[in-house]
Amino acid sequence: MYRVLIVDDQYFALLGLQQGVNWDELGVTDVRLAESAEQAMDMLSRHTVDLLICDIEMPGKSGLELLAWTERHSPDTRTIMLTCHADFEYAQRAIQHGAFHYLLKPVDYEQLRKAAGNAIAEVGKQKEREKYDFLMQDYRRKWEHQLPLLVERFWQDILSQRSSLHPDSLRRSAEIYGLSFAPDDRFILVLLGMEQWKEDLSARDEAIMEYALRNLAGELILEEREGAVIQNHAGLNLAIVYERRGGGSVGGSLERNCRRFLNECERLLQCSLSIYISAPVLLPDVLRAYADVTEREQRNVGRSRQVFPAEDPRRDKQPEKRPAAAPVGLFAEWATLLELGEREELERRVKQWFLSCEADGWTKEAYRPFVYGVLFIIHAVLAQKGLSVHESAKLKGLTDKAGCPRSPAALQSWAIDCLEAAVQLLKASDQLSSAVVAKVRQYIRSRLSQEITREELASHVYLNPAYLSRLFKKETGLSLSDAIIRERIREAMRLLEESELKITDIAERVGYISLGSFSNLFKRTIGVTPQQYRARKRGGG
């Protein structure tokens, strides 16, 4: 599976290195030997070598010259350098040429086994990254050639409430987009709740990979069913499955397909997510189903990589009559004011609306869509911030009582109270987010020498991992992984300035087992090597 090349001008030293380590245990199937740098260059030119173990002092070309040559001609090869000299100048030069590790002779075979195991593990990760990059390039080509889909636009308009929910308006909108729905067709919303990409992605690459995710969802979740997979204006990925009249229920097979999709996302796209399935609903009730799945995602703190079926399916519910009109454009304005926290302006707009309705003779048939509209913008704005109505007792009580107020005055008071409670929750969450970020930073600093996962951080602050990532990035501009790296480097800088610890010991204290990996990361972040940084801070250069 892996190939190792050992280079030393002393033949018996070569045999010792070959026989002193159980290479099979490390997954190495081919161990090659070379007695000079020239022989090694020839082998590296003709064969792929995963790990090069090389003595520095050799007649003719030295090991450092071979290392420099390997860096140019075989950059994917990891290298471990051996020397009889404890002079750190040798190690520094080796690290400058990309050496993975540096060992003193006579070699302790257990140390060599550990260093070789770590190097081979990195080679394995690199090969996985190459497979991943190939998959990304394939989906990038598909993504760059995609065209906007009318079906996606239709559902985006529904979920953002740009289209009225009155049955006649919905029918006309569907006809415009070339869709045909019967009055008793039902729809299942499947929220693909992204939790984590295993690689740090740029904004562009994340958009590409989310396109890949939606493409895979179309193949595995929808399979042969009618439906659509979209990304709405809030950035959420959803599959919408159609249950046609007389076509039977799709619930059981849909849940199985979702589990299969979950596993394939982990394997192919290197991401983790949870899936939330709504009950089948009529087309005018799609917003209710949308509020249901988004709220369930936000309530989920401790469980990841799960498929959550519908909590309360109501398959026998009869179609409801809908009122004649809904103030669609009005709610878009109110949603913007809610996001900005403009409580007084919201109250003024609500009162102004009711005055205009009284003048125009607004009828009781319009009460219910108004209630739906207020509930929708509250759920939608809170969901974008990672919140739900259940986090405010006042707001939950108001929304639970939102059947149909008996008079315009009661309806106006109810709307103002709901929006005011939502503003208070949003403002409280902003203060909470700062406290959460502080707790996360403190936790990271207390465990710099250990591996730290996103799920571990989320559990520490009792939040959903996906929500914590969004909150942390919004507050700091950093991903959680970038924040961990920054804290490690900051502590390393302090130790370099204030302590006499060896650089290898500092690397271990901040969580890096490979001196080469630590030095390369430090230089990429700070602009100089750890040795140069320490020398400058102490007036040595």
Side-chain angles (χ1 to χ4, degrees), residues 36-267:
S36 69
E38 289 80 0
Q39 285 185 15
M41 290 176 186
D42 181 62
M43 288 187 187
L44 286 162
S45 299
R46 292 185 290 110
H47 304 286
T48 299
V49 174
D50 299 303
L51 175 60
L52 170 67
I53 301 172
C54 180
D55 188 15
I56 289 181
E57 299 87 14
M58 294 188 295
K61 292 185 182 297
S62 71
L64 291 175
E65 289 175 285
L66 173 59
L67 178 59
W69 184 92
T70 302
E71 186 181 22
R72 294 192 305 273
H73 296 90
S74 184
D76 292 334
T77 299
R78 300 298 188 277
T79 52
I80 296 175
M81 305 307 291
L82 313 176
T83 182
C84 295
H85 300 285
D87 189 344
F88 194 76
E89 181 182 353
Y90 280 96
Q92 188 174 22
R93 291 175 62 190
I95 290 168
Q96 286 173 349
H97 287 296
F100 180 82
H101 210 44
Y102 177 91
L103 295 174
L104 289 175
K105 298 175 71 175
V107 175
D108 182 309
Y109 292 130
E110 178 59 21
Q111 286 185 357
L112 177 60
R113 185 193 68 79
K114 288 182 179 178
N118 291 334
I120 287 169
E122 280 215 357
V123 172
K125 290 178 183 177
Q126 176 64 28
K127 290 183 176 181
E128 286 298 317
R129 280 195 295 268
E130 289 172 357
K131 292 179 183 177
Y132 172 76
D133 290 342
F134 176 80
L135 182 66
M136 275 202 66
Q137 290 174 5
D138 182 48
Y139 276 113
R140 182 179 285 113
R141 287 191 295 268
K142 293 178 181 177
W143 180 75
E144 288 173 348
H145 288 89
Q146 76 163 339
L147 295 174
L149 299 176
L150 293 177
V151 171
E152 184 174 18
R153 178 68 61 80
F154 170 78
W155 288 111
Q156 286 176 342
D157 288 349
I158 294 292
L159 296 180
S160 63
Q161 212 175 16
R162 293 180 179 177
S163 296
S164 169
L165 296 182
H166 187 274
D168 290 339
S169 297
L170 288 173
R171 178 179 52 77
R172 286 194 298 270
S173 296
E175 289 175 355
I176 291 171
Y177 291 111
L179 299 170
S180 176
F181 297 130
D184 51 357
D185 285 342
R186 293 176 182 264
F187 303 86
I188 301 173
L189 267 67
V190 181
L191 173 62
L192 313 178
M194 176 55 58
E195 293 174 346
Q196 185 176 25
W197 297 104
K198 294 184 180 178
E199 296 283 342
D200 281 337
L201 301 176
S202 67
R204 180 176 181 273
D205 285 345
E206 186 169 350
I208 293 169
M209 290 309 294
E210 288 199 4
Y211 166 72
L213 181 143
R214 293 192 294 276
N215 197 48
L216 190 62
E219 296 173 8
L220 299 183
I221 294 180
L222 294 184
E223 209 169 31
E224 300 298 322
R225 300 184 183 91
E226 285 188 272
V229 181
I230 70 164
Q231 183 175 66
N232 73 353
H233 294 296
L236 299 177
N237 296 301
L238 300 123
I240 302 169
V241 185
Y242 306 164
E243 268 193 359
R244 296 290 193 178
R245 176 180 52 187
S249 170
V250 301
S253 59
L254 175 61
E255 190 174 336
R256 287 193 298 273
N257 284 1
C258 287
R259 296 188 189 282
R260 181 184 167 205
F261 170 72
L262 199 75
N263 294 332
E264 290 300 295
C265 282
E266 187 120 10
R267 187 177 71 86

Side-chain angles (χ1 to χ4, degrees), residues 301 439 457-464:
V301 173
K439 286 186 70 176
L457 291 171
S459 176
H460 179 64
V461 293
Y462 306 103
L463 291 176
N464 175 280

